[in-house]
Amino acid sequence: MRSFRSYQILAAAALLLSGPYIAAAADPADQAQWSESVPVNEERNPGERIEAYIVDGLLHARRLDQNDSPLWHFILSKADPNQPPTFEHFAAAIEVRHANGMYFVRDTFWGTTLAAHRQQLAPEAFASLDTTVRQNGFDLSKYSTTSGPPTLDQLQEIPPESFASADSTTLANIVQQLGPAAFATLDTATLALIQKRVPEAFANPDTAVRRLPTVQRGITKWEKDGQLWIALGPNADHWDTLIRLTPTVFVPEKPGIGAFADGGFVRWDDAQLLDNGGVLIADYVSPAETDRKQQKHKLVRGAIPFNIEAQRWINPIEQGDRIGWFLGKVLLLHFWATWSPESVEQLAHYDELYKKHKDQGLVVIAIHSTEGADDVDAFIAERGYTLPIAVDAGASTQRYGIWNFPQSVLFDRDCRLAWLSQDGEAPSPAQLKHLLDDIDTFPAH
């Protein structure tokens, strides 16, 4: 990863490209001079434990699940193995507290709330946390090694979801710094998304730019294995905090990342994190909570979508299983199967829709059931279809309630459900035109 020396323009947007991942490190707990762990709650959270250890003169605390994967991990302070921390037990919480009583982390294990007070240490004091959690992960935060706005080349590689979740003031600053003409080089859908968010920046390009303060804390977020991870520290090369904040089943309604003089925040729907240098408060979301939310979620017009989970891709599309990536475009998910004659008949139509309208911002993803998927590669190759094909890992059809094939789901440019087929029909030309042309009244047929 590259260093995080400035946050002047990209404070809340998290827009620029990160560098290579930090090389995977051995678990520092293996070299601990002192360590101790306690079970969280065997009845409610079997196999989970909170662990504290001292290595290289630094006190670590973390919560591990039954598979020894971290839910959170902190470097709290300098510490002496001869004066170890204490574990404090409360009715619904466990606290790891430094011997001096000042630095601590408290986990409300019957809920999902964290509170911590950390010592302010220079970056060179930190031993890296276990960075293997980043392997095969997808970065959602992109930071620059220098102050100032992104380069034109970097601008081209920023995902639409970053523009959608950026703080509007920060985004307007970037437009004013680069000038509206630089954004004209983006694809039309992404440009329309930015213009919709900060129209005043394009209308008044000569408005004086408010310089944002340099920030002393680094915030990085990324997704791996369906989980959103957050790393915090004095900069992006030195972490003092690692948190598995929430599962990423849903495309978030209220994402955000921002920063201020000595800290920052991350918001991802119900998951919230506020970092004020030495003090941190976080509400993270457990998989069980996400399951309950998913059960209550209704697929009606205007609903936020589920992410899909692909076992593999034929004609892959970049980040195709991350629905939020297609903010600013019209997305059509088509659930089909080679063993369904009607599906086979319809797929040619969807391939033609993709070819005809992709330059207008239409993305079509055909999702094949895992059942009978062995012949799907030969089927697609024989017919020369070019639309992206995902072989469902199983969760996609379940999340969207698909029990018969074919079925289709259509999303507007704001990534909201616009139409759901009832009897396997395809969306009408009028419905597609409405979404592609941003017409106000959505037609029933």
Side-chain angles (χ1 to χ4, degrees):
M1 296 170 62
R2 298 175 183 172
S3 63
F4 185 82
R5 290 192 287 268
S6 174
Y7 210 136
Q8 287 181 321
I9 298 301
L10 300 179
L15 294 179
L16 292 186
L17 300 178
S18 65
Y21 291 155
I22 299 174
D27 188 342
D30 294 338
Q31 290 81 46
Q33 290 86 50
W34 173 91
S35 67
E36 188 174 331
S37 66
V38 298
V40 172
N41 183 285
E42 284 298 333
E43 181 178 348
R44 187 180 180 93
N45 308 96
E48 294 190 11
R49 66 190 188 277
I50 291 179
E51 180 179 67
Y53 60 88
I54 297 173
V55 63
D56 295 331
L58 295 174
L59 171 59
H60 292 241
R62 62 186 182 179
R63 177 170 172 175
L64 302 172
D65 67 15
Q66 61 270 30
N67 299 313
D68 289 339
S69 296
L71 294 175
W72 52 260
H73 187 163
F74 290 82
I75 297 176
L76 288 174
S77 62
K78 294 181 179 178
D80 183 347
N82 297 313
Q83 295 180 300
T86 59
F87 286 87
E88 302 289 341
H89 294 258
F90 302 95
I94 295 177
E95 184 176 282
V96 178
R97 182 170 286 275
H98 189 277
N100 67 10
M102 183 179 297
Y103 307 115
F104 67 90
V105 57
R106 182 184 301 121
D107 181 270
T108 309
F109 57 79
W110 279 16
T112 48
T113 301
L114 286 172
H117 186 270
R118 300 185 298 267
Q119 185 179 13
Q120 296 282 10
L121 297 172
E124 56 270 18
F126 286 101
S128 293
L129 298 184
D130 181 4
T131 59
T132 57
V133 293
R134 298 205 60 176
Q135 292 177 346
N136 303 316
F138 172 68
D139 272 302
L140 304 174
S141 297
K142 314 294 183 181
Y143 293 112
S144 175
T145 59
T146 60
S147 61
T151 66
L152 294 181
D153 288 341
Q154 290 170 330
L155 188 67
Q156 297 290 331
E157 299 185 48
I158 296 172
E161 62 181 15
S162 291
F163 290 119
S165 64
D167 171 77
S168 59
T169 300
T170 301
L171 186 55
N173 268 274
I174 297 171
V175 174
Q176 292 167 338
Q177 284 282 335
L178 292 177
F183 287 78
T185 63
L186 299 176
D187 68 85
T188 54
T190 302
L191 177 59
L193 173 67
I194 300 170
Q195 290 174 325
K196 185 176 182 179
R197 292 218 53 215
V198 288
E200 69 285 353
F202 290 87
N204 303 294
D206 297 326
T207 301
V209 177
R210 179 174 64 85
R211 304 294 292 184
L212 298 176
T214 299
V215 174
Q216 304 303 316
R217 298 279 293 169
I219 306 176
T220 306
K221 60 187 174 82
W222 70 95
E223 182 184 335
K224 179 187 176 184
D225 298 333
Q227 297 281 338
L228 179 69
W229 292 85
I230 307 292
L232 306 167
N235 56 51
D237 283 331
H238 300 86
W239 299 352
D240 58 33
T241 305
L242 174 67
I243 298 177
R244 188 197 299 181
L245 198 64
T246 180
T248 54
V249 171
F250 296 92
V251 174
E253 288 187 273
K254 298 174 290 184
I257 182 170
F260 36 85
D262 61 352
F265 72 91
V266 175
R267 181 178 65 246
W268 196 271
D269 289 341
D270 294 336
Q272 311 280 338
L273 180 147
L274 175 65
D275 178 41
N276 191 17
V279 178
L280 180 137
I281 299 173
D283 291 310
Y284 62 99
V285 177
S286 70
E289 288 178 273
T290 300
D291 287 343
R292 287 192 290 270
K293 182 179 177 182
Q294 182 176 337
Q295 293 298 320
K296 296 178 181 179
H297 189 69
K298 297 185 183 300
L299 288 170
V300 296
R301 189 175 176 200
I304 61 171
F306 295 109
N307 284 316
I308 65 174
E309 291 188 14
Q311 187 180 78
R312 60 188 180 87
W313 286 86
I314 306 165
N315 303 334
I317 185 170
E318 186 178 15
Q319 301 303 327
D321 53 351
R322 293 184 44 74
I323 301 303
W325 184 268
F326 302 110
L327 275 164
K329 297 182 182 292
V330 175
L331 175 64
L332 178 56
L333 301 181
H334 177 58
F335 294 85
W336 72 292
T338 54
W339 41 263
S340 165
E342 189 177 356
S343 284
V344 171
E345 181 180 342
Q346 280 194 7
L347 193 62
H349 171 66
Y350 282 91
D351 190 60
E352 286 301 317
L353 286 179
Y354 179 64
K355 292 176 183 175
K356 181 178 180 180
H357 297 293
K358 64 180 179 180
D359 290 341
Q360 297 173 259
L362 178 65
V363 175
V364 182
I365 298 176
I367 304 173
H368 192 284
S369 166
T370 49
E371 182 181 352
D374 292 342
D375 63 345
V376 68
D377 296 79
F379 177 91
I380 298 299
E382 179 183 344
R383 288 159 177 77
Y385 294 147
T386 60
L387 80 168
I389 308 284
V391 176
D392 181 27
S396 306
T397 53
Q398 180 183 14
R399 289 172 183 173
Y400 282 96
I402 305 298
W403 305 109
N404 297 306
F405 299 91
Q407 294 292 341
S408 298
V409 188
L410 185 63
F411 299 98
D412 61 25
R413 293 187 187 271
D414 292 325
C415 207
R416 296 285 182 152
L417 195 150
W419 174 86
L420 182 68
S421 64
Q422 300 298 318
D423 299 305
E425 72 276 17
S428 69
Q431 289 170 329
L432 286 174
K433 179 176 176 58
H434 163 86
L435 297 179
L436 292 170
D437 294 347
D438 284 329
I439 301 172
D440 290 337
T441 305
F442 187 78
H445 303 287

